[in-house]
Amino acid sequence: MLTFRLFGFPVRIEWMFWILCVFLGLDYLETAGPEGLGKFLIMTSVVLGSILWHELGHAWARKWFRAPWSEITLYGFGGLCSGPGKFTRWESVGIAAAGPAASLTLGGLVWLLLFTPGIRDPWTGFFIGRMLWVNVGWAVFNLLPILPLDGGHIFAGLAGPRHSTLVYQVGMILAVLMAVAGLLFLHSLFMAILFGMLAYGNWQRMRGQRPGFV
């Protein structure tokens, strides 16, 4: 386990996070020679830096709303910003939205690089493409109203505690649909497994149980 501080926030990177990076970069590792290794290292750096930036968005928002402290954990399902604090519904919505906002802002800045004269080499193009996919593509998925995604927390905050069952139901149904779509149309086993676990987690919440993987 790797631990350090970033902008004053403690960060912990669990070994399962590196397994996730290997899984995401497996196609590049199968490419022989330095090109495959280079693309794998770029992909791993993009995933690591982008998820840290996303979680920093949550951490800075928590600090803005007077949280005593916050810590960031990178694990097998991405990242998590946690810590104590009592927040109003709207403050909770703002904290949940801060992560995707940070990702989309970074993605927008990277997108501007496409218009920079002289950037034409394949390595820079690969880096920009992966940055856009992680910071924009993943952010869009993360805004789906499925707990524990940020979109699920935003939806829960807007709906209020009296409609928690509705939040779980919407999350479970949508996650099942995304899992089926990922398997049948995108042929992505990773997407099917991920959203299948999210569906199961929301089903557990409906039954008053604590999900075991988040």
Side-chain angles (χ1 to χ4, degrees):
M1 183 183 298
L2 178 64
T3 60
F4 57 93
R5 298 186 73 86
L6 184 63
F7 296 107
F9 301 107
V11 177
R12 183 174 72 250
I13 304 180
E14 299 179 351
W15 66 271
M16 280 297 294
F17 176 78
W18 303 115
I19 300 298
L20 172 66
C21 290
V22 170
F23 184 84
L24 293 173
L26 197 59
D27 289 342
Y28 308 121
L29 286 177
E30 292 176 350
T31 302
E35 179 181 353
L37 179 60
K39 288 185 175 181
F40 170 76
L41 293 176
I42 290 175
M43 182 64 183
T44 299
S45 300
V46 166
V47 171
L48 173 63
S50 298
I51 294 180
L52 279 174
W53 177 254
H54 177 100
E55 298 306 326
L56 280 171
H58 292 306
W60 281 322
R62 285 174 49 83
K63 185 176 181 179
W64 176 265
F65 291 122
R66 302 170 302 282
W69 53 268
S70 301
E71 64 177 1
I72 296 172
T73 303
L74 304 189
Y75 64 121
F77 286 94
L80 175 68
C81 179
S82 59
K86 293 184 178 180
F87 310 104
T88 67
R89 281 174 57 187
W90 293 109
E91 287 174 344
S92 297
V93 169
I95 291 171
S103 296
L104 291 171
T105 299
L106 180 58
L109 293 174
V110 171
W111 176 74
L112 292 177
L113 292 176
L114 294 173
F115 304 95
T116 302
I119 297 182
R120 294 291 185 271
D121 66 279
W123 289 104
T124 304
F126 178 80
F127 170 76
I128 293 175
R130 295 305 90 193
M131 284 289 289
L132 290 176
W133 169 241
V134 172
N135 288 282
V136 178
W138 288 11
V140 172
F141 276 105
N142 195 29
L143 285 171
L144 292 173
I146 304 171
L147 285 171
L149 302 181
D150 291 329
H153 288 293
I154 293 171
F155 181 36
L158 294 175
R162 288 187 295 180
H163 300 287
S164 59
T165 300
L166 174 64
V167 173
Y168 304 150
Q169 289 173 338
V170 170
M172 182 181 67
I173 294 171
L174 186 55
V176 169
L177 293 175
M178 292 298 297
V180 172
L183 189 61
L184 296 183
F185 300 107
L186 299 179
H187 307 291
S188 172
L189 181 61
F190 175 75
M191 183 175 171
I193 293 174
L194 174 60
F195 281 98
M197 295 185 70
L198 293 178
Y200 179 63
N202 279 273
W203 180 76
Q204 287 181 300
R205 289 181 176 91
M206 286 177 58
R207 293 169 57 89
Q209 302 172 359
R210 179 182 176 85
F213 60 92
V214 290

